[in-house]
């Protein structure tokens, strides 16, 4: 019995499979909504559904950059920016899980110093 020698590999089926996978990835990727400020927040097993009327989103990125909403704020101006909001404003604090704890404590100190009581620390639901 004589064996057939393969001189080349047929890559057409491989290309077909890769194109189908590419189409699937591109269509599902369009449904994923990402935030403007990329922060990798820690997970939590509890989930909250309350939506306050007036809220301030404060985000701390991994590098220590602080944002009020979508506006970057220097560390020296955080206190002045915060005082522009009423004491009843709900504050949502987003902190990257890889950010140093110092940035988190810095913000909490300023928030508590000026008696802002409506504070929520935001995490991702597992």
């Amino acid at each position: 019995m004589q064996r057939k020698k393969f001189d080349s590999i047929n890559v057409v089926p491989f290309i077909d499979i890769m194109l189908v996978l590419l189409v699937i990835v591109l269509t599902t990727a369009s449904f994923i909504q990402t935030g403007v400020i990329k922060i990798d927040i820690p997970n939590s097993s509890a989930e909250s559904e309350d939506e306050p009327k007036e809220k301030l989103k404060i985000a701390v990125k991994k590098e220590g950059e602080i944002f009020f909403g979508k506006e970057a704020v220097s560390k020296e101006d955080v206190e002045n920016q915060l005082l522009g909001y009423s004491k009843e404003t709900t504050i949502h604090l987003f902190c990257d899980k890889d950010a140093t704890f110092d940035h988190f404590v810095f913000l909490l100190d300023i928030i508590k110093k000026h008696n802002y009581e409506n504070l929520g620390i935001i995490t991702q639901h597992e």
Side-chain angles (χ1 to χ4, degrees), residues 37-42 58-65 93-101 103-104 122:
I37 302 169
K38 296 238 182 213
I39 294 181
D40 188 16
I41 58 179
I58 301 176
V60 180
K61 290 183 73 171
K62 181 179 174 180
E63 300 82 20
E65 297 172 279
L93 184 56
F94 297 81
C95 192
D96 192 292
K97 67 181 178 182
D98 293 328
T100 62
F101 193 62
H103 301 298
F104 180 76
I122 307 301

PDB file of all heavy atoms in Angstrom, residues 37-42 58-65 93-101 103-104 122:
ATOM      1  N   ILE A  37     -14.382  56.803  31.680  1.00  0.00           N
ATOM      2  CA  ILE A  37     -13.186  56.694  32.494  1.00  0.00           C
ATOM      3  C   ILE A  37     -13.033  55.232  32.880  1.00  0.00           C
ATOM      4  O   ILE A  37     -13.859  54.676  33.588  1.00  0.00           O
ATOM      5  CB  ILE A  37     -13.299  57.570  33.757  1.00  0.00           C
ATOM      6  CG1 ILE A  37     -13.525  59.024  33.358  1.00  0.00           C
ATOM      7  CG2 ILE A  37     -12.068  57.419  34.626  1.00  0.00           C
ATOM      8  CD1 ILE A  37     -13.910  59.920  34.496  1.00  0.00           C
ATOM      9  N   LYS A  38     -11.975  54.599  32.418  1.00  0.00           N
ATOM     10  CA  LYS A  38     -11.770  53.173  32.668  1.00  0.00           C
ATOM     11  C   LYS A  38     -11.226  52.979  34.072  1.00  0.00           C
ATOM     12  O   LYS A  38     -10.127  53.409  34.389  1.00  0.00           O
ATOM     13  CB  LYS A  38     -10.794  52.601  31.659  1.00  0.00           C
ATOM     14  CG  LYS A  38     -11.298  52.657  30.264  1.00  0.00           C
ATOM     15  CD  LYS A  38     -11.331  51.286  29.702  1.00  0.00           C
ATOM     16  CE  LYS A  38     -11.806  51.373  28.268  1.00  0.00           C
ATOM     17  NZ  LYS A  38     -12.561  50.263  27.872  1.00  0.00           N
ATOM     18  N   ILE A  39     -12.019  52.307  34.904  1.00  0.00           N
ATOM     19  CA  ILE A  39     -11.624  51.997  36.270  1.00  0.00           C
ATOM     20  C   ILE A  39     -11.976  50.545  36.533  1.00  0.00           C
ATOM     21  O   ILE A  39     -13.081  50.107  36.238  1.00  0.00           O
ATOM     22  CB  ILE A  39     -12.345  52.909  37.288  1.00  0.00           C
ATOM     23  CG1 ILE A  39     -11.891  54.341  37.120  1.00  0.00           C
ATOM     24  CG2 ILE A  39     -12.084  52.434  38.697  1.00  0.00           C
ATOM     25  CD1 ILE A  39     -12.531  55.294  38.084  1.00  0.00           C
ATOM     26  N   ASP A  40     -11.052  49.807  37.082  1.00  0.00           N
ATOM     27  CA  ASP A  40     -11.283  48.413  37.422  1.00  0.00           C
ATOM     28  C   ASP A  40     -11.665  48.364  38.895  1.00  0.00           C
ATOM     29  O   ASP A  40     -10.809  48.320  39.776  1.00  0.00           O
ATOM     30  CB  ASP A  40     -10.015  47.604  37.156  1.00  0.00           C
ATOM     31  CG  ASP A  40     -10.236  46.120  37.295  1.00  0.00           C
ATOM     32  OD1 ASP A  40     -11.413  45.691  37.293  1.00  0.00           O
ATOM     33  OD2 ASP A  40      -9.242  45.394  37.414  1.00  0.00           O
ATOM     34  N   ILE A  41     -12.990  48.409  39.190  1.00  0.00           N
ATOM     35  CA  ILE A  41     -13.447  48.470  40.575  1.00  0.00           C
ATOM     36  C   ILE A  41     -13.601  47.063  41.143  1.00  0.00           C
ATOM     37  O   ILE A  41     -13.824  46.109  40.410  1.00  0.00           O
ATOM     38  CB  ILE A  41     -14.758  49.284  40.705  1.00  0.00           C
ATOM     39  CG1 ILE A  41     -15.867  48.699  39.845  1.00  0.00           C
ATOM     40  CG2 ILE A  41     -14.520  50.727  40.335  1.00  0.00           C
ATOM     41  CD1 ILE A  41     -17.172  49.444  39.964  1.00  0.00           C
ATOM     42  N   PRO A  42     -13.468  46.924  42.469  1.00  0.00           N
ATOM     43  CA  PRO A  42     -13.556  45.599  43.078  1.00  0.00           C
ATOM     44  C   PRO A  42     -14.976  45.042  43.034  1.00  0.00           C
ATOM     45  O   PRO A  42     -15.947  45.768  42.826  1.00  0.00           O
ATOM     46  CB  PRO A  42     -13.107  45.840  44.518  1.00  0.00           C
ATOM     47  CG  PRO A  42     -13.216  47.292  44.744  1.00  0.00           C
ATOM     48  CD  PRO A  42     -13.141  47.970  43.418  1.00  0.00           C
ATOM     49  N   ILE A  58     -17.469  60.575  41.931  1.00  0.00           N
ATOM     50  CA  ILE A  58     -16.052  60.848  42.107  1.00  0.00           C
ATOM     51  C   ILE A  58     -15.305  59.560  41.778  1.00  0.00           C
ATOM     52  O   ILE A  58     -15.587  58.510  42.355  1.00  0.00           O
ATOM     53  CB  ILE A  58     -15.722  61.304  43.541  1.00  0.00           C
ATOM     54  CG1 ILE A  58     -16.495  62.578  43.894  1.00  0.00           C
ATOM     55  CG2 ILE A  58     -14.223  61.534  43.696  1.00  0.00           C
ATOM     56  CD1 ILE A  58     -16.303  63.038  45.323  1.00  0.00           C
ATOM     57  N   ALA A  59     -14.369  59.631  40.847  1.00  0.00           N
ATOM     58  CA  ALA A  59     -13.619  58.447  40.430  1.00  0.00           C
ATOM     59  C   ALA A  59     -12.135  58.667  40.678  1.00  0.00           C
ATOM     60  O   ALA A  59     -11.610  59.752  40.451  1.00  0.00           O
ATOM     61  CB  ALA A  59     -13.864  58.166  38.952  1.00  0.00           C
ATOM     62  N   VAL A  60     -11.483  57.603  41.163  1.00  0.00           N
ATOM     63  CA  VAL A  60     -10.035  57.629  41.362  1.00  0.00           C
ATOM     64  C   VAL A  60      -9.443  56.547  40.479  1.00  0.00           C
ATOM     65  O   VAL A  60      -9.759  55.372  40.622  1.00  0.00           O
ATOM     66  CB  VAL A  60      -9.655  57.370  42.833  1.00  0.00           C
ATOM     67  CG1 VAL A  60      -8.146  57.395  42.998  1.00  0.00           C
ATOM     68  CG2 VAL A  60     -10.308  58.360  43.744  1.00  0.00           C
ATOM     69  N   LYS A  61      -8.597  56.971  39.545  1.00  0.00           N
ATOM     70  CA  LYS A  61      -7.954  56.003  38.657  1.00  0.00           C
ATOM     71  C   LYS A  61      -6.761  55.363  39.351  1.00  0.00           C
ATOM     72  O   LYS A  61      -6.326  55.794  40.409  1.00  0.00           O
ATOM     73  CB  LYS A  61      -7.501  56.690  37.360  1.00  0.00           C
ATOM     74  CG  LYS A  61      -8.670  57.095  36.474  1.00  0.00           C
ATOM     75  CD  LYS A  61      -8.207  57.688  35.181  1.00  0.00           C
ATOM     76  CE  LYS A  61      -7.664  56.582  34.297  1.00  0.00           C
ATOM     77  NZ  LYS A  61      -7.368  57.001  32.944  1.00  0.00           N
ATOM     78  N   LYS A  62      -6.256  54.346  38.721  1.00  0.00           N
ATOM     79  CA  LYS A  62      -5.135  53.567  39.238  1.00  0.00           C
ATOM     80  C   LYS A  62      -3.920  54.448  39.562  1.00  0.00           C
ATOM     81  O   LYS A  62      -3.246  54.257  40.558  1.00  0.00           O
ATOM     82  CB  LYS A  62      -4.770  52.504  38.201  1.00  0.00           C
ATOM     83  CG  LYS A  62      -3.662  51.583  38.554  1.00  0.00           C
ATOM     84  CD  LYS A  62      -3.473  50.589  37.421  1.00  0.00           C
ATOM     85  CE  LYS A  62      -2.293  49.707  37.629  1.00  0.00           C
ATOM     86  NZ  LYS A  62      -2.118  48.750  36.550  1.00  0.00           N
ATOM     87  N   GLU A  63      -3.677  55.441  38.705  1.00  0.00           N
ATOM     88  CA  GLU A  63      -2.515  56.314  38.872  1.00  0.00           C
ATOM     89  C   GLU A  63      -2.743  57.411  39.913  1.00  0.00           C
ATOM     90  O   GLU A  63      -1.869  58.210  40.179  1.00  0.00           O
ATOM     91  CB  GLU A  63      -2.156  56.982  37.533  1.00  0.00           C
ATOM     92  CG  GLU A  63      -1.820  56.004  36.430  1.00  0.00           C
ATOM     93  CD  GLU A  63      -3.045  55.426  35.736  1.00  0.00           C
ATOM     94  OE1 GLU A  63      -4.131  56.031  35.823  1.00  0.00           O
ATOM     95  OE2 GLU A  63      -2.924  54.354  35.140  1.00  0.00           O
ATOM     96  N   GLY A  64      -3.960  57.509  40.465  1.00  0.00           N
ATOM     97  CA  GLY A  64      -4.263  58.517  41.470  1.00  0.00           C
ATOM     98  C   GLY A  64      -4.980  59.730  40.929  1.00  0.00           C
ATOM     99  O   GLY A  64      -5.237  60.673  41.667  1.00  0.00           O
ATOM    100  N   GLU A  65      -5.314  59.739  39.635  1.00  0.00           N
ATOM    101  CA  GLU A  65      -6.055  60.862  39.061  1.00  0.00           C
ATOM    102  C   GLU A  65      -7.474  60.867  39.627  1.00  0.00           C
ATOM    103  O   GLU A  65      -8.097  59.820  39.758  1.00  0.00           O
ATOM    104  CB  GLU A  65      -6.126  60.741  37.545  1.00  0.00           C
ATOM    105  CG  GLU A  65      -4.776  60.806  36.862  1.00  0.00           C
ATOM    106  CD  GLU A  65      -4.903  60.492  35.386  1.00  0.00           C
ATOM    107  OE1 GLU A  65      -4.970  59.307  35.058  1.00  0.00           O
ATOM    108  OE2 GLU A  65      -4.958  61.451  34.599  1.00  0.00           O
ATOM    109  N   LEU A  93     -18.582  57.085  45.112  1.00  0.00           N
ATOM    110  CA  LEU A  93     -17.127  57.032  45.061  1.00  0.00           C
ATOM    111  C   LEU A  93     -16.687  55.759  44.352  1.00  0.00           C
ATOM    112  O   LEU A  93     -16.938  54.654  44.821  1.00  0.00           O
ATOM    113  CB  LEU A  93     -16.555  57.098  46.476  1.00  0.00           C
ATOM    114  CG  LEU A  93     -15.046  57.151  46.641  1.00  0.00           C
ATOM    115  CD1 LEU A  93     -14.465  58.322  45.867  1.00  0.00           C
ATOM    116  CD2 LEU A  93     -14.677  57.261  48.102  1.00  0.00           C
ATOM    117  N   PHE A  94     -16.056  55.928  43.190  1.00  0.00           N
ATOM    118  CA  PHE A  94     -15.507  54.827  42.403  1.00  0.00           C
ATOM    119  C   PHE A  94     -13.995  54.876  42.573  1.00  0.00           C
ATOM    120  O   PHE A  94     -13.388  55.906  42.301  1.00  0.00           O
ATOM    121  CB  PHE A  94     -15.806  55.010  40.904  1.00  0.00           C
ATOM    122  CG  PHE A  94     -17.259  54.995  40.559  1.00  0.00           C
ATOM    123  CD1 PHE A  94     -18.040  56.132  40.723  1.00  0.00           C
ATOM    124  CD2 PHE A  94     -17.844  53.853  40.052  1.00  0.00           C
ATOM    125  CE1 PHE A  94     -19.375  56.132  40.390  1.00  0.00           C
ATOM    126  CE2 PHE A  94     -19.175  53.841  39.704  1.00  0.00           C
ATOM    127  CZ  PHE A  94     -19.948  54.978  39.872  1.00  0.00           C
ATOM    128  N   CYS A  95     -13.407  53.782  43.012  1.00  0.00           N
ATOM    129  CA  CYS A  95     -11.965  53.761  43.210  1.00  0.00           C
ATOM    130  C   CYS A  95     -11.407  52.499  42.571  1.00  0.00           C
ATOM    131  O   CYS A  95     -11.885  51.400  42.843  1.00  0.00           O
ATOM    132  CB  CYS A  95     -11.647  53.795  44.700  1.00  0.00           C
ATOM    133  SG  CYS A  95      -9.930  54.103  45.070  1.00  0.00           S
ATOM    134  N   ASP A  96     -10.437  52.670  41.692  1.00  0.00           N
ATOM    135  CA  ASP A  96      -9.803  51.524  41.037  1.00  0.00           C
ATOM    136  C   ASP A  96      -9.206  50.611  42.105  1.00  0.00           C
ATOM    137  O   ASP A  96      -8.620  51.081  43.071  1.00  0.00           O
ATOM    138  CB  ASP A  96      -8.703  52.016  40.093  1.00  0.00           C
ATOM    139  CG  ASP A  96      -8.208  50.934  39.169  1.00  0.00           C
ATOM    140  OD1 ASP A  96      -7.568  49.990  39.675  1.00  0.00           O
ATOM    141  OD2 ASP A  96      -8.452  51.033  37.955  1.00  0.00           O
ATOM    142  N   LYS A  97      -9.378  49.295  41.925  1.00  0.00           N
ATOM    143  CA  LYS A  97      -8.899  48.375  42.947  1.00  0.00           C
ATOM    144  C   LYS A  97      -7.381  48.356  43.047  1.00  0.00           C
ATOM    145  O   LYS A  97      -6.842  47.924  44.051  1.00  0.00           O
ATOM    146  CB  LYS A  97      -9.446  46.970  42.711  1.00  0.00           C
ATOM    147  CG  LYS A  97      -8.938  46.273  41.477  1.00  0.00           C
ATOM    148  CD  LYS A  97      -9.575  44.902  41.359  1.00  0.00           C
ATOM    149  CE  LYS A  97      -9.123  44.193  40.099  1.00  0.00           C
ATOM    150  NZ  LYS A  97      -9.779  42.892  39.974  1.00  0.00           N
ATOM    151  N   ASP A  98      -6.685  48.850  42.023  1.00  0.00           N
ATOM    152  CA  ASP A  98      -5.224  48.899  42.061  1.00  0.00           C
ATOM    153  C   ASP A  98      -4.696  50.267  42.505  1.00  0.00           C
ATOM    154  O   ASP A  98      -3.483  50.458  42.584  1.00  0.00           O
ATOM    155  CB  ASP A  98      -4.647  48.542  40.686  1.00  0.00           C
ATOM    156  CG  ASP A  98      -4.911  47.089  40.327  1.00  0.00           C
ATOM    157  OD1 ASP A  98      -4.944  46.251  41.248  1.00  0.00           O
ATOM    158  OD2 ASP A  98      -5.091  46.795  39.136  1.00  0.00           O
ATOM    159  N   ALA A  99      -5.597  51.203  42.796  1.00  0.00           N
ATOM    160  CA  ALA A  99      -5.169  52.512  43.293  1.00  0.00           C
ATOM    161  C   ALA A  99      -4.714  52.351  44.743  1.00  0.00           C
ATOM    162  O   ALA A  99      -5.196  51.479  45.464  1.00  0.00           O
ATOM    163  CB  ALA A  99      -6.315  53.518  43.207  1.00  0.00           C
ATOM    164  N   THR A 100      -3.803  53.210  45.160  1.00  0.00           N
ATOM    165  CA  THR A 100      -3.336  53.110  46.547  1.00  0.00           C
ATOM    166  C   THR A 100      -4.438  53.554  47.501  1.00  0.00           C
ATOM    167  O   THR A 100      -5.290  54.383  47.172  1.00  0.00           O
ATOM    168  CB  THR A 100      -2.068  53.961  46.775  1.00  0.00           C
ATOM    169  OG1 THR A 100      -2.390  55.327  46.524  1.00  0.00           O
ATOM    170  CG2 THR A 100      -0.928  53.502  45.885  1.00  0.00           C
ATOM    171  N   PHE A 101      -4.400  52.988  48.681  1.00  0.00           N
ATOM    172  CA  PHE A 101      -5.417  53.273  49.688  1.00  0.00           C
ATOM    173  C   PHE A 101      -5.356  54.731  50.141  1.00  0.00           C
ATOM    174  O   PHE A 101      -6.348  55.284  50.605  1.00  0.00           O
ATOM    175  CB  PHE A 101      -5.227  52.315  50.875  1.00  0.00           C
ATOM    176  CG  PHE A 101      -6.367  52.293  51.832  1.00  0.00           C
ATOM    177  CD1 PHE A 101      -7.631  51.892  51.429  1.00  0.00           C
ATOM    178  CD2 PHE A 101      -6.180  52.660  53.144  1.00  0.00           C
ATOM    179  CE1 PHE A 101      -8.688  51.873  52.309  1.00  0.00           C
ATOM    180  CE2 PHE A 101      -7.233  52.638  54.034  1.00  0.00           C
ATOM    181  CZ  PHE A 101      -8.491  52.239  53.624  1.00  0.00           C
ATOM    182  N   HIS A 103      -5.235  57.439  48.365  1.00  0.00           N
ATOM    183  CA  HIS A 103      -6.157  58.283  47.590  1.00  0.00           C
ATOM    184  C   HIS A 103      -7.581  58.135  48.111  1.00  0.00           C
ATOM    185  O   HIS A 103      -8.319  59.119  48.215  1.00  0.00           O
ATOM    186  CB  HIS A 103      -6.108  57.920  46.106  1.00  0.00           C
ATOM    187  CG  HIS A 103      -4.750  58.058  45.508  1.00  0.00           C
ATOM    188  ND1 HIS A 103      -4.081  59.256  45.440  1.00  0.00           N
ATOM    189  CD2 HIS A 103      -3.923  57.146  44.963  1.00  0.00           C
ATOM    190  CE1 HIS A 103      -2.906  59.078  44.875  1.00  0.00           C
ATOM    191  NE2 HIS A 103      -2.777  57.796  44.576  1.00  0.00           N
ATOM    192  N   PHE A 104      -7.964  56.920  48.441  1.00  0.00           N
ATOM    193  CA  PHE A 104      -9.304  56.657  48.971  1.00  0.00           C
ATOM    194  C   PHE A 104      -9.491  57.370  50.310  1.00  0.00           C
ATOM    195  O   PHE A 104     -10.489  58.044  50.542  1.00  0.00           O
ATOM    196  CB  PHE A 104      -9.491  55.145  49.107  1.00  0.00           C
ATOM    197  CG  PHE A 104     -10.818  54.736  49.647  1.00  0.00           C
ATOM    198  CD1 PHE A 104     -11.944  54.780  48.846  1.00  0.00           C
ATOM    199  CD2 PHE A 104     -10.947  54.292  50.945  1.00  0.00           C
ATOM    200  CE1 PHE A 104     -13.174  54.400  49.333  1.00  0.00           C
ATOM    201  CE2 PHE A 104     -12.177  53.905  51.440  1.00  0.00           C
ATOM    202  CZ  PHE A 104     -13.298  53.955  50.631  1.00  0.00           C
ATOM    203  N   ILE A 122     -18.867  52.469  45.388  1.00  0.00           N
ATOM    204  CA  ILE A 122     -19.371  51.645  44.302  1.00  0.00           C
ATOM    205  C   ILE A 122     -18.424  50.482  44.010  1.00  0.00           C
ATOM    206  O   ILE A 122     -17.220  50.661  43.890  1.00  0.00           O
ATOM    207  CB  ILE A 122     -19.569  52.495  43.027  1.00  0.00           C
ATOM    208  CG1 ILE A 122     -20.430  53.728  43.335  1.00  0.00           C
ATOM    209  CG2 ILE A 122     -20.166  51.666  41.901  1.00  0.00           C
ATOM    210  CD1 ILE A 122     -21.805  53.411  43.872  1.00  0.00           C
TER     211      ILE A 122
END
